[in-house]
Amino acid sequence: MLTIQQIKENPERVIERLAVKGFDGKDAINKIIELDDSRRALQLSNDTKAAELNKLSARIGALMKEGKKDEAEEAKAKVASMKQEQKETAERLAAAESEIRNLLSGIPLHFQQENEQGMLVHCKKCLIQLLVLNLVQ
């Protein structure tokens, strides 16, 4: 299966090679890149919220020790709100990851690549299949 890294490194080349296989991958590749950018932003947001929650949770403990229960209760309410936001972000992140996997699974696994001499070569699995077919015939 193609990886996101391969796609992002040279999307035009991937689209071109998929076209050789008879697969129009332009829309899928562009959507994967868009979803990956969104996924990365969501992951950063989720990580940032987790760090803020950790700090706020530690602050609640300190406030309770100091006897500032009102402030601690306000902080607890804020934590509950932030946890809900984090949950929603995590759900959107999971949806983006799932959609990326679905798009990637719809792209042909093996597409031809050119070697240094400009000859089309298949992956090892395809070569074995071709050899077996030639032996059977």
Side-chain angles (χ1 to χ4, degrees):
M1 179 174 5
L2 282 172
T3 64
I4 293 174
Q5 181 180 359
Q6 290 171 319
I7 291 170
K8 290 186 99 171
E9 282 177 358
N10 197 347
E12 293 82 18
R13 176 87 172 130
V14 171
I15 292 167
E16 175 186 311
R17 300 314 309 155
L18 288 170
V20 168
K21 179 97 174 161
F23 182 80
D24 181 14
K26 185 175 183 178
D27 292 339
I29 297 300
N30 289 334
K31 184 70 173 174
I32 287 169
I33 292 169
E34 176 187 318
L35 284 168
D36 185 59
D37 291 342
S38 174
R39 182 197 63 81
R40 288 174 183 266
L42 288 168
Q43 184 66 55
L44 179 63
S45 173
N46 201 32
D47 292 347
T48 302
K49 286 177 184 169
E52 288 176 24
L53 280 169
N54 288 340
K55 287 179 186 177
L56 198 51
S57 295
R59 185 168 174 246
I60 291 170
L63 289 171
M64 290 297 256
K65 283 182 182 179
E66 294 172 9
K68 300 178 181 178
K69 291 188 178 193
D70 292 338
E71 288 180 45
E73 291 302 321
E74 288 176 20
K76 283 182 184 180
K78 187 172 181 179
V79 164
S81 172
M82 289 177 69
K83 281 186 178 181
Q84 181 60 34
E85 290 174 17
Q86 187 180 29
K87 180 182 175 186
E88 292 168 4
T89 301
E91 289 170 356
R92 292 184 10 231
L93 179 61
E97 289 171 344
S98 176
E99 192 170 350
I100 289 171
R101 278 192 304 276
N102 288 340
L103 287 168
L104 285 172
S105 68
I107 295 174
L109 291 178
H110 306 291
F111 58 91
Q112 298 173 333
Q113 298 180 5
E114 291 179 13
N115 64 12
E116 297 82 26
Q117 291 79 29
M119 297 173 59
L120 292 177
V121 293
H122 289 271
C123 67
K124 190 184 291 186
K125 181 179 178 182
C126 294
L127 286 174
I128 292 169
Q129 290 173 346
L130 284 172
L131 289 172
V132 170
L133 286 174
N134 286 335
L135 290 174
V136 172
Q137 295 174 351

